[in-house]
Amino acid sequence: MEIKEILHLAAEACSDKRAENIVALDMDQVSLVADYFLICHGTNERQVQAIARAVKEKMDEHDISVKRLEGLEQARWVLVDLGDIVCHIFHRDERIYYNLERLWGDASQVPLTIGQD
C-alpha cells in the first residue's frame, strides 16, 4: 500500500471518531522524522484515546505495522508512529499550546478527502 493511501486511512480513522481539524502536513522537505504528519484533536481524554485506538485498529485491519504508540494513558498528546507517517492526536488544549502547524509552517498541507472514496 502506498504511503498516501495509509495517510488517508489514518485520517478516515480519525474522522470516524469525530476528531476535529484534521490536517496532514508534507514533511518530506522539512524534517527527517517522517514524510507526513497527521494532526487532529479531541475535546476530552476519552475521545483522544478512542481516536488513537481507531487509527491502530484501522492499521491492523490492513496489516500495516504501528511502530510505536505513546501517550495513550494520559491522552493529552498521543503519537501513533506508522514509520513514514506520524499521527499527532491532541487534546484540544495541548493542540492550541503546541501549535504544530505553526511550528512546522514550512510544510505544505496535503489535501484530504475524508469521507469520500
Side-chain angles (χ1 to χ4, degrees):
M1 184 173 287
E2 296 206 14
I3 188 168
K4 280 208 171 182
E5 291 175 296
I6 297 169
L7 179 66
H8 286 279
L9 279 176
E12 285 283 343
C14 294
S15 177
D16 289 347
K17 294 298 178 184
R18 297 190 183 346
E20 296 182 14
N21 196 14
I22 303 168
V23 175
L25 299 178
D26 184 345
M27 302 300 290
D28 188 44
Q29 302 298 313
V30 182
S31 172
L32 299 174
V33 174
D35 290 342
Y36 295 97
F37 279 179
L38 183 66
I39 305 167
C40 67
H41 71 269
T43 57
N44 59 57
E45 288 86 355
R46 196 174 304 176
Q47 184 186 18
V48 170
Q49 290 172 334
I51 295 165
R53 286 186 183 112
V55 171
K56 182 176 182 342
E57 289 168 7
K58 182 71 83 173
M59 296 305 115
D60 289 346
E61 288 173 17
H62 290 86
D63 293 322
I64 298 165
S65 166
V66 173
K67 311 265 184 258
R68 176 174 276 169
L69 191 129
E70 291 187 19
L72 189 63
E73 192 169 312
Q74 295 82 15
R76 301 300 292 182
W77 179 356
V78 179
L79 288 175
V80 183
D81 183 353
L82 305 174
D84 294 329
I85 301 167
V86 177
C87 300
H88 299 267
I89 305 164
F90 286 98
H91 184 285
R92 179 180 36 222
D93 298 338
E94 267 64 13
R95 183 168 189 181
I96 292 167
Y97 180 79
Y98 289 103
N99 197 355
L100 290 188
E101 293 94 324
R102 194 189 65 175
L103 179 66
W104 295 102
D106 292 342
S108 59
Q109 282 198 18
V110 177
L112 295 170
T113 52
I114 300 169
Q116 303 170 14
D117 288 330

